[in-house]
Amino acid sequence: MRGLRHLSSGFVSNVTPSIEEKIGQGLLLQRGHPINTLKMRIQSYFGDRYSVFDSLSPHVTTQQCFDDLLVPRDHVSRSPSDTFYVNPEVCLRPHTSAHQTEFLRRGETNFIVFGDCYRRDEIDASHYPVFHQVEGVRVWKQADAGSSAEQRTAFVIEDLKHTLEGLAKEVFQSEIVLRWNEDYFPFTHPSLELEVAHEGDWLELLGCGVIRPEILENCGLQNHVGWAFGAGLERLAMRLFNIPDIRLFWSQDPRFLEQFKPDEVTKFEPYSKYPPCLKDMSFWTPESFEVNDFYAAVREVAGDLVEKVDLIDQFQHPKTLRHSHCYRITYRSMDRNLVNSEVDQLQEEVRESCSSKLGIELR
Ligand code: PHE
């Protein structure tokens, strides 16, 4: 793939130039940007009792990000098909949970962390390889939370639910309908997710739970209990500001940026929706094919001009047993009309780049 860098010992980083460009852009701190406005709302809800960290480097160790959080050795989130690795020990944080243990070790008992997070993923209106999360953590001495293990767990969950329902109401500042579901995370037990009713559907707001005691013990917090939560900001902001496509958060277009004022929530007025241009691409996949490598390769060539990529057909050849995939790439610019010749050229570059880098055979 373009931009792969060969490091010593044969390790190949999967951080592409278009991802590198995003590091340090600082949307969280850009006054007036919807991501900053949402951050400020969340921050004001938690108030002075919580320490706030919002400028931590996204480069974290696999120790912080996975091992300290009891993520199993074979968990998919560790795989280079899901996570961006700078070297075998350092990755771009796929979640702000990567900072939990460093602050617990430092003796922080109430804190929130905002950060840009990075994940290799599919391509559509609500998935982008860079997004933002807020993490919150609160711990108590066991003795302050109840006299039996059951009592303490119930105490922590009650505080967690109360805190997060309050957060959702503060963020949306309107009548909302919420529901709790059981969930699973390696670092919390029990684990829950909070959803909000949205346009006849349920939208996931956050994941959370009671911090596993081993994690606290490893941070020198024997005889403590606590909760943690993590929420994605884009999804909330899309709903709050009526922003239809996640790529818009990265737009430099004044027609986007100038619509928003610091600390004000206003509905986005689409300046126009330019027409999409669809191109299909079929190929035989090699044994080792990873679809996220394909998405990354498409994005490396077409950047933010690619709106989504859908698998529309696949089959296995009855004799050769080879697999064929057909993908539909939707190209659309947020800012202007794309001309056909330009998209044809892009598609040609995508095809060339994929065939030379992914070992696929174009059909
Ligand atoms: N880190 C989890 C995620 O990214 C969210 C989470 C945070 C869940 C803290 C539980 C506790 O999905």
Side-chain angles (χ1 to χ4, degrees):
M1 207 175 306
R2 185 150 75 179
L4 285 189
R5 243 127 5 85
H6 296 261
L7 304 177
S8 54
S9 78
F11 174 83
V12 179
S13 169
N14 57 0
V15 181
T16 53
S18 66
I19 292 299
E20 232 150 53
E21 267 172 30
K22 300 288 190 294
I23 299 173
Q25 283 206 17
L27 299 188
L28 275 167
L29 302 180
Q30 191 176 314
R31 295 291 288 143
H33 195 282
I35 292 292
N36 173 264
T37 299
L38 175 58
K39 169 191 183 264
M40 298 309 281
R41 259 198 193 182
I42 295 171
Q43 206 168 313
S44 86
Y45 170 74
F46 282 99
D48 296 338
R49 286 182 301 118
Y50 284 75
S51 308
V52 180
F53 302 95
D54 59 12
S55 314
L56 304 167
S57 164
H59 293 100
V60 297
T61 61
T62 49
Q63 178 78 36
Q64 289 174 286
C65 186
F66 303 120
D67 300 309
D68 284 356
L69 295 169
L70 313 178
V71 175
R73 281 247 144 246
D74 57 356
H75 197 271
V76 289
S77 62
R78 291 185 184 249
S79 147
S81 66
D82 280 42
T83 292
F84 291 103
Y85 282 88
V86 173
N87 68 46
E89 281 87 43
V90 175
C91 61
L92 295 175
R93 65 183 159 225
H95 57 178
T96 42
S97 303
H99 298 287
Q100 279 185 19
T101 55
E102 68 185 272
F103 292 114
L104 287 169
R105 281 198 185 94
R106 281 197 220 165
E108 295 282 349
T109 54
N110 316 300
F111 59 92
I112 51 177
V113 175
F114 294 93
D116 38 330
C117 297
Y118 299 77
R119 279 188 209 172
R120 305 189 70 207
D121 217 331
E122 55 201 283
I123 302 181
D124 65 27
S126 60
H127 289 87
Y128 197 76
V130 195
F131 58 98
H132 296 82
Q133 280 192 338
V134 57
E135 189 86 6
V137 173
R138 180 163 190 197
V139 296
W140 293 263
K141 291 199 184 77
Q142 265 184 9
D144 295 336
S147 47
S148 70
E150 292 77 52
Q151 271 182 6
R152 291 190 287 268
T153 303
F155 171 89
V156 171
I157 290 189
E158 199 190 304
D159 187 81
L160 174 64
K161 285 187 167 172
H162 175 77
T163 304
L164 295 177
E165 286 169 12
L167 173 65
K169 288 184 182 131
E170 168 77 14
V171 165
F172 290 112
Q173 292 182 358
S174 61
E175 277 307 306
I176 47 169
V177 180
L178 297 170
R179 80 170 178 196
W180 288 99
N181 300 323
E182 279 179 24
D183 207 339
Y184 168 80
F185 300 101
F187 26 95
T188 48
H189 184 75
S191 302
L192 299 167
E193 73 165 0
L194 181 58
E195 291 185 314
V196 60
H198 177 55
E199 291 174 357
D201 213 348
W202 291 97
L203 181 75
E204 185 195 326
L205 287 184
L206 53 87
C208 62
V210 178
I211 302 174
R212 283 194 176 267
E214 305 93 294
I215 296 178
L216 296 174
E217 282 157 25
N218 291 339
C219 294
L221 294 167
Q222 283 74 16
N223 306 320
H224 281 69
V225 287
W227 52 244
F229 77 87
L233 300 188
E234 273 76 359
R235 221 173 305 165
L236 288 174
M238 285 172 84
R239 172 174 165 155
L240 205 55
F241 294 84
N242 266 3
I243 292 174
D245 190 301
I246 195 165
R247 290 175 297 166
L248 281 163
F249 291 108
W250 298 92
S251 172
Q252 308 281 347
D253 193 318
R255 285 173 299 177
F256 177 76
L257 294 172
E258 288 175 3
Q259 289 194 21
F260 304 104
K261 306 264 167 322
D263 302 325
E264 272 179 40
V265 172
T266 48
K267 298 293 177 202
F268 172 63
E269 299 283 349
Y271 26 91
S272 91
K273 188 127 168 145
Y274 295 92
C277 186
L278 311 181
K279 299 280 169 193
D280 293 349
M281 173 169 172
S282 304
F283 49 83
W284 299 108
T285 63
E287 281 292 327
S288 60
F289 183 70
E290 286 281 358
V291 68
N292 280 350
D293 290 338
F294 174 64
Y295 295 148
V298 174
R299 213 187 283 273
E300 231 12 66
V301 175
D304 284 355
L305 295 180
V306 49
E307 177 171 282
K308 60 181 177 138
V309 178
D310 297 307
L311 178 62
I312 54 170
D313 188 31
Q314 59 178 323
F315 70 91
Q316 186 171 24
H317 191 282
K319 292 218 180 71
T320 64
L321 300 180
R322 290 208 294 169
H323 291 271
S324 170
H325 287 188
C326 179
Y327 292 90
R328 175 158 296 163
I329 305 178
T330 305
Y331 295 96
R332 190 203 304 258
S333 165
M334 290 283 145
D335 317 316
R336 63 193 173 84
N337 237 325
L338 292 178
V339 288
N340 231 326
S341 56
E342 176 183 13
V343 178
D344 284 341
Q345 163 130 21
L346 260 179
Q347 175 74 356
E348 201 39 49
E349 283 176 39
V350 165
R351 288 170 62 86
E352 274 170 30
S353 171
C354 291
S355 80
S356 70
K357 277 140 198 164
L358 302 178
I360 61 172
E361 192 186 320
L362 298 169
R363 304 188 52 213

